[in-house]
Amino acid sequence: MTTAERTQEQHRHAQPQAEAVIDLDAVADNVRLLREYAGDAAVMAVVKADAYNHGAVPVAKAALAAGARELGVTTLTEALELKSAGIDAPVLSWLHTPDADYAPAIVAGVELGVSSPRHLASIVAAARDSGVTAVITVKVDTGLNRGGVARDEWPGFLRDLGRAHAEGAVRLRGTFSHLAHADELHHPEIDSQRDRLVEAVADLRRHGMPPEVVHLSNSAAAVTRPDLRFDMIRPGIAMYGLSPIPEIGDYGFRPVMTLRTRVALVKKVTAGSGVSYGHRWIAPIDTTVAVLPMGYADGIRRNLSGRFEVQLGGRRRPQLGRVCMDQIVVDLGPDGGGVSEGDHALFFGDGRHGEPNAQDWADLLDTINYEVVTGVGGRTVRTYVGGEGGGTE
Ligand SMILES: *Cc1c(COP(=O)(O)O)cnc(C)c1O
């Protein structure tokens, strides 16, 4: 056996039973498409929540290589993970408690999103202690009423920021906000949020602190509202190849995650026998079934029981009876469909092999595609394809 064959053999044996295959070439394609949507504006790749469960560091590297200029995350831990992986692109983190440990992030050069005078005070104190100027981005609440500086706190915030700025404790890098109705085309709230952001930027200028970058658009706004680009767009879901407005279309993005497993067992079931807990499915005829070793502990939601299909042996196979913690059973038909133990079965992906996509699952579960990909877990192992050396501009 040659080394290559041995490696391949080991790889075959190492194939996980629960696997999320992440296609980094798809990430790169999606980022290139987002750059087109961005026009002259830059792209901040949002890699929060471990890149929507696709793996923050590999996705961030692939996105930057494809021309994203900055990275966005939610927590300081996420930001520091990117920094310690040697990524030197700007990283903005925007959701913290006021008592967070800001010093390490300030020292590492993480850009801090600030949402209140309390957060600012805490950052200023950490900057003084560490002797490093904190780079901050003001998050303005323009109507979502979630994160961002609230309207009633804005005048006081401006005063405090002016002082911190004059003292050299902080440097204002950017200003941003987040939309409440980005996926509802022509919703009037979108325009009023834009106007409020423009006002906030004018206030900052008037106080001698013009932000270097202003940004507002998530994926939905990026693909529908070129007038809201400002200096940068801030897409997440589209980079993972899922549509921000599925009712309208896929906007040309390609799904990045394929969720798959391998057949653990093939067996006969006789007519009249029940399958899985509670025998919720009774074989109408003699048939053959496959046991697949992924269940609700791995993100195959139990309320999908009896309601979905997997791609296996060249066609869709219905899942039978209840989804269990560790496994499900699918029907292969009387002749077994040529399926063998060890074969791959696909839950969702980009559809290239006939499998459903994450949006199909979202529709079944009455949720959004974001929750489908972030809900994969348990024993699922990520493997990466593409990226490094694959595909150049
Ligand atoms: C998650 C998030 C984004 C990305 O949103 P998508 O809808 O995935 O494009 C952008 N900005 C902020 C503030 C976010 O929290």
Side-chain angles (χ1 to χ4, degrees):
M1 214 188 257
T2 65
T3 309
E5 279 166 350
R6 210 161 26 242
T7 309
Q8 214 171 9
E9 186 67 9
Q10 280 163 354
H11 179 69
R12 202 168 67 76
H13 285 301
Q15 278 188 48
Q17 293 191 167
E19 185 179 26
V21 182
I22 306 301
D23 184 350
L24 295 174
D25 289 338
V27 171
D29 286 346
N30 295 333
V31 168
R32 286 187 201 104
L33 183 52
L34 282 161
R35 285 176 64 196
E36 286 175 31
Y37 281 112
D40 292 335
V43 173
M44 170 185 280
V46 176
V47 293
K48 65 189 181 188
D50 206 9
Y52 292 37
N53 203 23
H54 293 64
V57 170
V59 168
K61 287 182 172 170
L64 292 169
R69 201 164 310 152
E70 312 205 4
L71 300 170
V73 295
T74 310
T75 68
L76 298 177
T77 307
E78 291 173 327
L80 288 170
E81 186 200 350
L82 295 170
K83 288 294 181 189
S84 33
I87 289 171
D88 53 16
V91 178
L92 170 65
S93 171
W94 58 66
L95 183 60
H96 323 110
T97 54
D99 64 353
D101 184 12
Y102 289 107
I106 293 170
V107 171
V110 171
E111 210 174 301
L112 300 169
V114 188
S115 280
S116 84
R118 276 92 53 213
H119 292 79
L120 181 63
S122 196
I123 290 167
V124 167
R128 281 185 195 137
D129 285 352
S130 50
V132 178
T133 299
V135 182
I136 64 161
T137 281
V138 173
K139 185 166 190 187
V140 187
D141 186 351
T142 56
L144 178 58
N145 290 309
R146 202 181 67 178
V149 181
R151 207 163 193 145
D152 64 309
E153 296 198 309
W154 183 243
F157 181 84
L158 279 173
R159 257 193 323 274
D160 294 356
L161 181 61
R163 262 187 232 117
H165 195 258
E167 179 199 329
V170 302
R171 174 168 76 79
L172 181 67
R173 167 101 206 293
T175 302
F176 79 117
S177 192
H178 197 41
L179 294 166
H181 295 273
D183 55 347
E184 296 164 70
L185 292 182
H186 313 301
H187 195 290
E189 181 73 23
I190 299 173
D191 294 332
S192 90
Q193 286 198 258
R194 172 203 55 203
D195 295 347
R196 175 72 193 103
L197 179 62
V198 168
E199 265 173 49
V201 172
D203 290 343
L204 288 162
R205 285 219 179 89
R206 230 182 351 263
H207 282 72
M209 298 175 287
E212 290 165 30
V213 286
V214 176
H215 42 107
L216 178 62
S217 295
N218 61 358
S219 298
V223 299
T224 55
R225 292 292 300 264
D227 60 313
L228 301 183
R229 288 167 185 164
F230 293 93
D231 303 305
M232 188 153 68
I233 59 169
R234 218 173 48 238
I237 200 71
M239 184 172 62
Y240 305 99
L242 303 177
S243 178
I245 318 181
E247 309 83 75
I248 294 185
D250 65 12
Y251 292 94
F253 298 104
R254 181 149 74 87
V256 170
M257 180 190 289
T258 298
L259 186 66
R260 67 181 191 180
T261 183
R262 295 173 68 221
V263 175
L265 181 64
V266 173
K267 63 168 54 166
K268 303 269 187 220
V269 171
T270 53
S273 317
V275 169
S276 191
Y277 291 131
H279 283 175
R280 292 304 171 93
W281 186 83
I282 310 285
I285 51 170
D286 288 352
T287 191
T288 310
V289 301
V291 177
L292 304 181
M294 277 182 83
Y296 60 76
D298 308 299
I300 313 296
R301 296 272 297 277
R302 188 171 177 275
N303 61 4
L304 285 172
S305 290
R307 299 170 55 215
F308 71 106
E309 296 177 324
V310 302
Q311 182 71 16
L312 171 57
R315 46 168 289 204
R316 299 280 183 95
R317 314 280 176 182
Q319 179 269 328
L320 305 174
R322 285 207 175 125
V323 170
C324 310
M325 184 185 292
D326 315 303
Q327 54 200 300
I328 61 165
V329 181
V330 299
D331 189 11
L332 300 175
D335 66 357
V339 170
S340 306
E341 290 162 358
D343 286 359
H344 276 118
L346 277 59
F347 291 102
F348 60 78
D350 64 10
R352 217 185 320 176
H353 303 284
E355 73 278 17
N357 58 38
Q359 186 58 44
D360 297 325
W361 275 41
D363 295 343
L364 281 170
L365 289 163
D366 194 19
T367 185
I368 53 175
N369 50 33
Y370 301 66
E371 196 182 19
V372 172
V373 286
T374 57
V376 168
R379 291 152 290 201
T380 308
V381 173
R382 274 189 218 119
T383 54
Y384 292 91
V385 298
E388 236 76 302
T392 49
E393 252 185 290

